Amino acid sequence: MDREALIEGYVFGNLNPDDLAKADALRKLDVTFDEAVTALQALRQAIARNEHNDIRQMVKKFEQQKQQASVKSINRSIKWWALAASLLLVFSLAYWLYPTGNQNEKLYASYYKTMPNIVSPIVRGTQQQDTVAMAFTAYEQMNYKKAEFLFSILYSQSKEPYALFYQGMCKLEMNDAKGCISLLESITWVNGRYLLADFSEWYLGLANLKVNKLPAAQKYLEAAAQQGKPYQSQASALLLKLRRTL
Amino acid sequence: MDIHTADLALLKQKNEEIIRRIYEENKEAFLLFVRQYGLPDEEVQDIYQEMMVALYEHAVKGKLEQLKTPLRTYLFAIGKYMVYARLKKAGNIVKLSEFDTAEWSEFAWPYEELPDKRVLALQQSLKQLGEKCRQLLIRYYYHNLTMKVIASEMEYENADVVKSLKARCMKQLKSILNSSNHG
């Protein structure tokens, strides 16, 4: 093996034991060999760092582009604001004079977003872990009927509160707000250590809004609007709108 | 989402479209997931971006070929380790025994410390190198590809052509490095 191959093999870590011993010895005895190894290690590190920085720049750009798109969208809409404001005034008057029955439904629709899967990692292995993976896969594929069934099985096997919570989310996705409320209200969140308990308050608020149970909706939204809760700002904004109508 | 072979190949090539897709598809769930650890939003964003880098690096190292879990699960595992590393650094470790296993060590954060001057100078010199030379060196020293594969990917006649080109590129790199050292 020539000198260059020995240096590269050493740096790539793919020398056989004999060549490795030879290279180790050369590093101690031959300054130029040792220097060449160090230089090549530095080069690999430099390339790795540049690659790392390239990806960082790329993902930062995604965020910047999103912000720019949002600013552009705002700018485009500014010229319509005057017109929209006057139309809004007319509609608002009509709205207050003749309130519509599905106002809460509209509010619900404007605030509702599908609960993402935040139960992770899912590791395949035991039968129960496979049910977890299957349930969340169905959920993420928006196959809520199947997911609901799997979460109910999972709950009967594990008694894990999250299974009941996601079963409730499936019901809400399938427009069964009453079913969702009944499931979510039946969960016992042990010691308040579950992050999902905070999400549950928000979704109970929304589900009660959907079925026009405003006092209950208000109660849950007030809990969800507390400092540090994941939907704090949305719950506060929704409460404000609700209080105007109560 | 699970990662398909074609997507994996694109990811290894640093394809912006596939990286953006993975980034967008998992961001919201990850941010919600990580909030339970009480880190500030800015830091959570930073971790998420660092996770994408780690994903790319793991793809290059061939760790995603035999992935047995959904990609999101794998991403979250990386993110969890990074959260742990941040909490540990801040002296804020509480009941995180779930992290205390050897498997997490593969998600170690490699670039916490500043590199030495030589590495920094090389990083700059690499940026001044011609695109073809840079791509060749990246493929050889970072992706660990053989001369034959590089010849095929970069459309050179054969491995010998790549070998002599690599020698020329290294010479150019040294020359840039020396001129910047003396400049």
Side-chain angles (χ1 to χ4, degrees):
Chain A
M1 183 179 281
D2 66 27
R3 190 179 168 88
E4 194 191 342
L6 195 63
I7 292 168
E8 291 210 331
Y10 187 83
V11 171
F12 280 110
N14 54 17
L15 290 180
N16 64 41
D18 288 345
D19 287 332
L20 181 61
K22 191 176 162 189
D24 277 333
L26 275 170
R27 285 200 76 178
K28 286 173 190 157
L29 298 169
D30 183 340
V31 179
T32 54
F33 183 89
D34 184 56
E35 170 57 26
V37 167
T38 312
L40 207 50
Q41 284 170 334
L43 174 61
R44 289 192 82 199
Q45 202 185 340
I47 292 173
R49 280 184 171 270
N50 279 352
E51 288 292 284
H52 183 274
N53 293 343
D54 278 0
I55 303 284
R56 269 308 282 245
Q57 288 307 317
M58 189 192 284
V59 292
K60 269 187 188 163
K61 193 178 75 183
F62 298 161
E63 287 300 327
Q64 285 163 358
Q65 284 172 343
K66 211 188 279 179
Q67 280 168 7
Q68 281 165 2
S70 140
V71 170
K72 270 185 192 167
S73 156
I74 289 169
N75 287 342
R76 256 200 309 273
S77 58
I78 280 175
K79 59 184 173 184
W80 296 102
W81 279 12
L83 176 63
S86 36
L87 283 172
L88 189 66
L89 185 65
V90 172
F91 285 120
S92 299
L93 281 170
Y95 178 84
W96 289 111
L97 290 170
Y98 309 101
T100 54
N102 61 358
Q103 180 191 338
N104 294 334
E105 182 76 37
K106 281 178 186 167
L107 265 181
Y108 167 85
S110 66
Y111 277 87
Y112 179 77
K113 276 178 94 172
T114 301
M115 174 72 197
N117 165 19
I118 63 166
V119 177
S120 175
I122 306 158
V123 182
R124 280 184 182 275
T126 64
Q127 191 185 351
Q128 188 174 308
Q129 283 166 337
D130 282 348
T131 313
V132 177
M134 281 161 60
F136 278 110
T137 303
Y139 184 79
E140 287 182 7
Q141 288 170 348
M142 293 184 280
N143 189 346
Y144 296 112
K145 200 170 178 184
K146 183 179 173 188
E148 190 204 349
F149 173 69
L150 289 167
F151 281 124
S152 71
I153 302 239
L154 186 60
Y155 183 72
S156 65
Q157 288 171 348
S158 68
K159 301 293 174 208
E160 282 283 355
Y162 77 80
L164 218 48
F165 172 81
Y166 277 98
Q167 197 188 340
M169 290 300 98
C170 293
K171 285 205 178 287
L172 203 50
E173 285 290 341
M174 295 187 290
N175 282 322
D176 180 4
K178 281 183 183 170
C180 168
I181 293 167
S182 144
L183 275 170
L184 262 50
E185 285 185 334
S186 73
I187 303 175
T188 308
W189 299 103
V190 183
N191 298 332
R193 281 192 66 243
Y194 288 89
L195 173 74
L196 285 178
D198 296 339
F199 286 94
S200 181
E201 288 163 352
W202 166 247
Y203 283 101
L204 274 168
L206 285 178
N208 276 291
L209 178 65
K210 191 174 166 66
V211 294
N212 295 316
K213 288 186 175 173
L214 295 186
Q218 195 172 357
K219 179 185 84 177
Y220 285 117
L221 290 174
E222 277 167 0
Q226 282 172 11
Q227 187 77 26
K229 299 281 179 81
Y231 282 100
Q232 181 196 346
S233 57
Q234 292 94 324
S236 305
L238 182 51
L239 268 174
L240 263 178
K241 289 182 185 168
L242 269 181
R243 280 173 185 150
R244 284 188 200 134
T245 63
L246 284 173
Chain B
M1 68 176 277
D2 289 329
I3 194 149
H4 304 294
T5 312
D7 290 344
L8 188 55
L10 288 171
L11 178 60
K12 284 184 184 176
Q13 290 163 21
K14 230 166 23 177
N15 178 282
E16 190 168 327
E17 200 179 318
I18 186 77
I19 294 174
R20 187 191 293 270
R21 206 178 84 205
I22 297 171
Y23 182 85
E24 297 294 348
E25 282 183 0
N26 295 286
K27 188 180 167 192
E28 194 182 350
F30 180 76
L31 298 190
L32 282 171
F33 167 66
V34 163
R35 279 197 185 121
Q36 66 185 302
Y37 296 106
L39 287 167
D41 271 1
E42 202 177 292
E43 200 156 351
V44 173
Q45 290 274 2
D46 189 48
I47 289 173
Y48 189 61
Q49 293 185 359
E50 199 61 33
M51 268 168 64
M52 298 308 297
V53 181
L55 185 73
Y56 167 68
E57 289 170 346
H58 290 194
V60 169
K61 286 176 188 166
K63 289 180 179 176
L64 303 189
E65 257 84 4
Q66 302 299 325
L67 204 58
K68 289 189 176 67
T69 55
L71 183 66
R72 176 175 287 181
T73 306
Y74 188 77
L75 259 178
F76 277 30
I78 299 175
K80 240 180 164 181
Y81 182 83
M82 289 181 169
V83 169
Y84 168 69
R86 296 263 171 133
L87 290 171
K88 193 175 174 186
K89 201 176 172 189
N92 197 11
I93 289 293
V94 274
K95 284 190 177 180
L96 288 169
S97 57
E98 60 185 300
F99 294 108
D100 295 337
T101 56
E103 66 180 296
W104 296 103
S105 62
E106 70 175 286
F107 300 131
W109 211 317
Y111 304 120
E112 281 274 282
E113 282 161 25
L114 283 174
D116 67 24
K117 280 182 187 168
R118 186 208 290 254
V119 175
L120 274 175
L122 273 164
Q123 282 183 256
Q124 290 308 316
S125 303
L126 280 163
K127 284 177 190 165
Q128 293 170 46
L129 202 59
E131 184 59 19
K132 280 192 171 176
C133 269
R134 191 168 56 245
Q135 286 306 324
L136 193 154
L137 295 183
I138 289 171
R139 280 174 164 81
Y140 188 75
Y141 287 114
Y142 186 69
H143 291 256
N144 294 353
L145 299 179
T146 62
M147 300 286 187
K148 197 176 167 188
V149 173
I150 297 173
S152 159
E153 278 192 9
M154 296 183 74
E155 297 178 349
Y156 290 115
E157 209 171 319
N158 54 45
D160 290 337
V161 175
V162 177
K163 195 176 176 184
S164 62
L165 192 57
K166 179 185 154 261
R168 282 211 299 274
C169 292
M170 290 295 278
K171 207 172 168 185
Q172 273 180 37
L173 184 66
K174 275 179 198 163
S175 151
I176 296 168
L177 190 65
N178 287 335
S179 62
S180 66
N181 283 342
H182 297 124

